[in-house]
Every structure is written in C-alpha cells, then in structure tokens.
Amino acid sequence: MRNTIIFLLFGAACLSLVLHMFLRRGKTFLAIFSELMTAAGLLTGLALGFSLENLAVPVVLLAGISLLPFLRKEGGDEL
C-alpha cells in the first residue's frame, strides 16, 4: 500500500505534466497541480521512510518531462 500511494502521487504529477504540454486552456492549474503532486509524493515518501536516493529518480524524471517542450523547434533551423 505504501508504494501505491507514492506511485499514484507521482503518476498524477506525470499525467498533469503531459496534459500541460498538449492543452491550450488550464495550463496554469495543471502546472501548479503537477508541482503540488510532486511535493506531496516526495514528502509522503519521506514520511513513510523512503530515502532521498529512492525518491530522487521519479523527481528527476518529472523534471525531465517538464523540460521536454524546450526541445521543440518553433521555426527555422536554429541550433
């Protein structure tokens, strides 16, 4: 059960990040919701006795997902 709660919190954060990238409306809400779910997952994991080494993997993955829109080229062949 302990892993399920953390999995659901980080999963909700990941889902809201993906929706944030594709939706045009409600972006602010989804961005704030994603950050709140990430913080809740991190704090819940620490409260349940997980180490920061174990919790760093999903946090770094979520940070990588949030940086994906910066890889898209808006126009032209810029480097």
Side-chain angles (χ1 to χ4, degrees):
M1 170 101 177
R2 295 178 352 167
N3 292 338
T4 306
I5 293 170
I6 295 171
F7 178 74
L8 288 175
L9 288 171
F10 284 125
C14 182
L15 180 66
S16 66
L17 274 176
V18 171
L19 287 175
H20 173 74
M21 286 190 284
F22 293 112
L23 293 179
R24 296 187 190 269
R25 294 186 181 188
K27 283 188 151 201
T28 305
F29 171 74
L30 288 172
I32 292 171
F33 183 74
S34 172
E35 298 303 322
L36 287 175
M37 289 297 108
T38 303
L42 184 66
L43 292 175
T44 303
L46 290 174
L48 291 175
F50 288 96
S51 68
L52 281 175
E53 292 176 357
N54 293 337
L55 295 171
V57 174
V59 172
V60 170
L61 288 174
L62 287 171
I65 291 172
S66 68
L67 293 174
L68 281 177
F70 293 114
L71 293 177
R72 273 193 259 152
K73 291 184 179 179
E74 291 293 326
D77 291 332
E78 299 174 12
L79 291 175

